[in-house]
Amino acid sequence: MHTRAAEPSKSDRIVQLAGQLGVLRPKDLAGEGIQAEYLRRACDKGVIKKVGRGSYVLSQKEVHPGLDLAVVSRAVPNGVICLRSALAYHGLGENPRNTVDVAIERRAARPRLDYPSLRVARLGGSAFTEGVERHPIEGVKVRIYSLEKTLADLFKFRNKIGPHLAVDALRAALQAGRVRKEKLWHFARLCRVERVMRPYFDALA
């Protein structure tokens, strides 16, 4: 006589989903027939923990910059990690702790997130949709702009973030031999910064 395996409890299922998705959002439970109340209970049991409003991870996960990117990616699914955060991901800069730069479509509503803090850049058309790479971070496929797109964006937003950051990033990327020149000039034209970038590129290269 075969005994039927017991179905996992709702708490167990929450832990499974958190492991599968990397970062769990309350809406992920809707299709499972699990009410949000069970998230609170799972937190009370210590099997998952809350990292900002509406974002939960397995309790053993440490909070670090990579997890911040994963949290933002799940909370802002149509956004793209950009500027200082993308540069830091590509290993050529530092990003302030608990802060993430994210690009959204020009007419999109501003995301509401209490952790990590968001710095929002608005882009439109091809300047928003092109140059997007997908990298697995903490179990989440995070949308991040390529290095060349990031360099062009740093020059595009130089008046907001400071021109020295853009020039220093270009210098570091060139010294590391990380720049695909044809890609760089494609995105420089797309972001309308080719004339601004060219003198710096010629001097540094």
Side-chain angles (χ1 to χ4, degrees), residues 76 78-80 82 102-111 120-130 143 145 149 153 156-157 160 189-193:
V76 192
N78 295 322
V80 188
C82 65
V102 63
I104 61 173
E105 204 279 328
R106 186 167 286 140
R107 293 176 297 277
R110 183 183 175 86
V120 174
R122 293 184 179 274
L123 294 168
S126 299
F128 176 64
T129 58
E130 286 197 33
R143 287 154 49 91
Y145 283 126
K149 174 63 162 57
D153 282 339
K156 182 181 181 72
F157 289 95
K160 278 190 174 182
R189 288 187 288 272
L190 189 67
C191 294
R192 300 179 182 177
V193 292

Side-chain angles (χ1 to χ4, degrees), residues 24 36 64 98 158 170 185:
L24 184 66
H64 59 90
N98 305 334
R158 66 193 181 280
L170 180 60
W185 295 119

